Amino acid sequence: MASSSVKRLAVTLMDASTDKDHDVQEQIYNSLCFMGETAPAEILESCASYLRQHDKLSYVHRTIILRAMETVVRNNLTSLSKETAKMVIVLASNEMTKSKDVIFEWQQAASSILVAVGRGFINCVMEEILLKFQPGILPHFFIMQTLANLAVANVFGMVPFLNSVLGTMLPMFPIVKQDPMKAVFCVALQHFSESIQEYLANLDKAPDPSVRKDTFSSDMFSAYDVLFYGWLQNRESKVWNPGDPWLSPWLGTLSPVPYFSAILLLHAGFAPDHTDELVEKLQTFRQGLHNPDSSALFHTCFNIAMIIGKLLPPEQLTSLIFVTFEGLSDPDPNCSRAATVMINSLLKDRGTILLLKVPEIIERVHEQLQETPEEHIKKAAVQTIYILATQHMAAVVTSLLCSPVPYDSETCTLWKALSSDPPLTSQVLTLLLEKMTGDVPYKESKASLLSSMSGRVATLLPLTATCALREVLCQPESAPTVQELYSLLFVSLLLRVSSMVGVQLPKNLCTTTVRKSSSPPTTSRSLDPCSSAIEALQFMLNQGGCEEVTLSVETDGGWENMKKEETHYLGVTSLSRSMVRYAGPKLPIIIKSLQSALSSVYDSQRITATAFLAQLLQSSDLSDLIFLEPLMDNMTSRLKDSSVIVRMLAVRGLGNIAAGYPDKVRKNGSQLLTSMINAMDDREDPDHIVTQEAMSSLSRLLPHMEDKDMRSLLIHTAIRIRPFFDHEKEELRKASIMLFGNLTRLNSEWSEEVLFEQILNGLVTLLLHLQDPKPGVVKACKFALQMCAPNIKNQSLADMFLSHLHPDRGLHYGEFMNNVCKHLLQGYPDMISRLVQTNISYFKSTWPDIRAAAPMFIGFLVLNMQKEQCNLVDLDHLVTSLVILLKDPVPAVRIKASEAMGLLVKFV
């Protein structure tokens, strides 16, 4: 490299010294110093020229350059010419005294240069300094500092000048008024004294043995006389203060029987004096009503109710029941319980004629619960609804479904009545499932008249049916029925969950008549369509004996994942995995039902069914329970689904065969491979999720495939996946790199040469991504490089990959890359230009860590090149690219760019 090229590199670095980041500044300093080791004179001349031409450069940045000059001088003093030394001395002297004010860092840096040069060119330095150290004129602070430090740095060279220096210095003592200047004068005297003593103690080595103590005694005595009797007597003076900054710069029964009997006769159309056997029989129960024994009292009430039930005409029965309801809130517990017995007895005896009155009865029971929410009232209400439901199940369910949601605590109590009798509960659950699935799950609706945005809104009846299922299923008494209807409930509720993801509540929900309640609803939470379906499914699993499934999915975060569109399939996958583990024998019927959902008109249901079935293919535990081929066919048919998520899940399902049924991979290798390759070429996959899954799945399938199945597609696959090495999505980078590593395992003779070229094409990228910000990608790179090792035709490099790239260990990247570059240069000398150019292309990488790694890579290449290899690099293009990188917004990148720039001096 010519001198002009060295200067170009130095000027480029000095231009970058205006960087505000301290670490970048330090690296620029280090790079200038490194260059100075190779071309000291050129660097010193470039630095001096730059400072002279940039007079307005801030002192902070001037300091960086001056520090570098001082280091170059100090490390290369013996090789400097006198001309270079003089040039440096004049420049440093001017920088040191340019400002009359003391600017410590800047002027200290300049002073240090003079001291460094003074170690070898003391006469030249003193010649320049004495020009600015004139009798009667107070010198610059740093002139004195420099003289003091020179006396320590070069004793033998400086002592001969001290007579002259002291002669000029002593008369200045009276005009020294400022403490900083007094301090530096004192320091100078101290250093002068020390240097004189050292000189005299080593006279045998001194250039002038004739120098004696008395040569300086008079001047030194006079100087110390001023210090002791003048400056030291001034107590406010900071000359002697060791704390000076310059010295330390750092919530009754009735129904009276006689009156009640008369009322009954009048209601029946008889005269008041009419007699009736049943009515007369009521008189016999009078004493029973006064019996303190509760059992006798309830027996009496039951008999009264039976007589009344037979006597009253249908149109009067409801009124009697409603009036008796009021007795439920009697403060006397016996009266309240008697009313309960009478109501339930009337319903058992005459309830079959009350079909049209079901809604009114339910409403009245609900109101009574609100007025008196005590435990015995709740039990009475539950019994009432249960008796009514055994006679009019559909009417009771339909009526309860008209209750507003979210259900209040009273409505929840009424639903509880339908869970205690297995035959009844079976009918109720079946009817509720019909209500839930009998209408579309949601409708599209615009957010507002002015908005073009539309959203999915839950249809009301399926929504309320889902809430009702939750209330019935949460009761432990429903367990026998749940186990009977397990598969039907599981599939229906799972598909309901899928249909409710991202669905809003219907607007008319807010306008439904809301019952007044004495207590807040049990669902103090806000109603969410998807959460209600999930809770129903969870209760169903628990009552079905699968508590482990519920807990496992919870631990895995599956329930929360199910609620979100973007992660719903992950939650379903977790559910499928847990079902395999804890409820495998229940799966065959579930699978058969879910297979029909694969052709659902709703994307969400196809996604759910595919996700659940795809996961099953990963477990060999089901080999005795299911037939694999139909599931494989299901997955293959979904590869052309209109939903990109369904296609991705279908690919995943086929890939799962590698873990669950590896022997099927060898048998169906060609078919599976074709499916994977076609999936990677999916043109309606803007986010590449199908491609990513295809790469991950192919990585799992490859170890179980025959080489013959891969031959014709290896090159196509390697080329197809390489652009994803640098994709912005972490999972795409990871999947593509892992697949590349697995491809390189195919090291049969036919593939060796083909793979070698592909490895070389991807080598720089893999090495740079060892600095990827995502640990998963770094781990994938380590794996891929280790898989490449047997085919790279460079044993030393292969050994490094195998020994240093442990997936779970840290890596000292700089040291590793330095050694890698040595082996690259030795093993592939013709690839130098290709290696450099590929690294330059990463100067525009999205990730700062990789932008920083690329110039580091180049720097190590340059550092380890042989002289003749330098000609293979386009230096101008490299320098231009590094100059641009020096303006990178990230300091760490600028540091590496400046470091690499400094190393280019190797081209000299």
Side-chain angles (χ1 to χ4, degrees), residues 12-213:
T12 301
L13 285 169
M14 288 186 283
D15 282 342
S17 70
T18 57
D19 197 296
K20 296 180 180 180
D21 187 89
H22 174 73
D23 292 337
V24 177
Q25 294 173 1
E26 283 300 300
Q27 183 55 58
I28 292 172
Y29 158 76
N30 289 330
S31 294
L32 287 170
C33 293
F34 181 85
M35 294 175 67
E37 294 301 307
T38 300
E42 289 89 342
I43 293 301
L44 290 170
E45 182 182 347
S46 298
C47 291
S49 176
Y50 190 89
L51 289 171
R52 288 193 296 266
Q53 295 173 22
H54 296 78
D55 194 55
K56 295 183 179 181
L57 188 69
S58 74
Y59 76 86
V60 174
H61 303 113
R62 304 185 82 86
T63 301
I64 296 171
I65 299 173
L66 291 170
R67 287 175 53 219
M69 291 180 69
E70 187 262 332
T71 302
V72 173
V73 168
R74 188 175 66 246
N75 294 343
N76 299 274
L77 187 61
T78 58
S79 66
L80 294 184
S81 67
K82 189 172 184 178
E83 291 72 20
T84 300
K86 286 185 175 180
M87 177 269 297
V88 172
I89 291 169
V90 172
L91 183 279
S93 175
N94 290 337
E95 289 289 317
M96 186 175 73
T97 61
K98 185 177 295 186
S99 171
K100 292 182 179 180
D101 297 326
V102 174
I103 303 175
F104 193 87
E105 294 85 356
W106 173 27
Q107 293 160 347
Q108 179 64 65
S111 175
S112 296
I113 293 177
L114 291 172
V115 174
V117 180
R119 292 176 183 272
F121 299 91
I122 188 64
N123 293 333
C124 296
V125 172
M126 288 305 296
E127 181 182 348
E128 175 64 24
I129 288 182
L130 290 174
L131 290 174
K132 300 180 180 181
F133 188 65
Q134 295 295 319
I137 303 174
L138 199 64
H140 192 283
F141 177 93
F142 270 99
I143 288 291
M144 295 305 300
Q145 176 100 338
T146 303
L147 286 170
N149 290 337
L150 277 169
V152 175
N154 189 348
V155 172
F156 292 143
M158 188 61 183
V159 167
F161 287 96
L162 289 184
N163 258 332
S164 174
V165 170
L166 288 169
T168 303
M169 178 181 176
L170 290 177
M172 296 179 182
F173 273 67
I175 63 175
V176 178
K177 303 299 183 181
Q178 302 296 322
D179 288 347
M181 187 60 78
K182 289 182 179 180
V184 77
F185 265 68
C186 292
V187 171
L189 281 174
Q190 175 190 350
H191 287 182
F192 291 165
S193 299
E194 292 170 350
S195 64
I196 291 170
Q197 292 174 18
E198 185 175 345
Y199 190 100
L200 294 175
N202 296 278
L203 274 175
D204 57 326
K205 302 177 183 176
D208 185 3
S210 65
V211 174
R212 293 289 180 265
K213 184 184 299 185

Side-chain angles (χ1 to χ4, degrees), residues 591-607:
I591 292 171
K592 185 175 181 180
S593 299
L594 274 177
Q595 285 173 327
S596 62
L598 290 171
S599 57
S600 169
V601 296
Y602 299 105
D603 285 359
S604 59
Q605 293 189 352
R606 298 200 308 279
I607 289 171

Side-chain angles (χ1 to χ4, degrees), residues 223-428:
Y224 278 95
D225 186 59
V226 174
L227 295 183
F228 280 103
Y229 297 105
W231 293 358
L232 198 58
Q233 297 304 313
N234 184 358
R235 296 189 177 188
E236 293 184 3
S237 175
K238 296 181 181 179
V239 176
W240 57 277
N241 185 357
D244 184 80
W246 287 97
L247 301 179
S248 303
W250 347 128
L251 349 60
T253 62
L254 294 172
S255 66
V257 175
Y259 295 106
F260 190 53
S261 302
I263 292 172
L264 284 175
L265 290 172
L266 288 172
H267 275 292
F270 296 103
D273 58 351
H274 180 77
T275 60
D276 183 275
E277 182 181 354
L278 287 175
V279 174
E280 290 300 321
K281 189 174 182 180
L282 282 173
Q283 302 291 341
T284 65
F285 298 139
R286 178 180 298 180
Q287 284 300 116
L289 291 173
H290 296 284
N291 193 323
D293 180 70
S294 60
S295 297
L297 178 62
F298 295 155
H299 181 70
T300 301
C301 290
F302 175 77
N303 290 331
I304 292 173
M306 289 297 98
I307 292 174
I308 293 173
K310 290 179 171 60
L311 290 174
L312 282 180
E315 62 272 14
Q316 302 298 326
L317 184 59
T318 305
S319 298
L320 177 61
I321 291 175
F322 287 171
V323 170
T324 310
F325 268 129
E326 296 178 4
L328 292 174
S329 57
D330 194 291
D332 186 333
N334 287 333
C335 292
S336 175
R337 290 167 183 161
T340 299
V341 173
M342 293 181 71
I343 292 171
N344 291 337
S345 297
L346 287 171
L347 288 175
K348 286 181 180 179
D349 191 50
R350 302 288 301 278
T352 54
I353 66 173
L354 296 176
L355 176 60
L356 299 179
K357 298 296 183 178
V358 167
E360 292 180 57
I361 295 174
I362 290 178
E363 180 68 21
R364 188 63 188 89
V365 172
H366 184 273
E367 290 173 356
Q368 194 63 49
L369 279 173
Q370 289 180 320
E371 294 168 5
T372 315
E374 295 173 4
E375 195 59 34
H376 69 281
I377 301 299
K378 290 184 180 180
K379 291 182 179 179
V382 167
Q383 185 68 7
T384 298
I385 299 303
Y386 167 70
I387 295 170
L388 205 58
T390 57
Q391 299 164 334
H392 309 290
M393 185 275 295
V396 169
V397 169
T398 300
S399 181
L400 285 173
L401 286 174
C402 292
S403 302
V405 288
Y407 295 136
D408 55 23
S409 60
E410 293 80 15
T411 304
C412 292
T413 298
L414 301 184
W415 279 114
K416 178 180 179 181
L418 307 183
S419 65
S420 59
D421 180 57
L424 174 62
T425 305
S426 180
Q427 296 177 53
V428 170

Side-chain angles (χ1 to χ4, degrees), residues 18 40 58 295 643 713 742 762 808 855:
T18 57
S58 74
S295 297
S643 166
L713 294 171
N742 279 295
D808 299 317

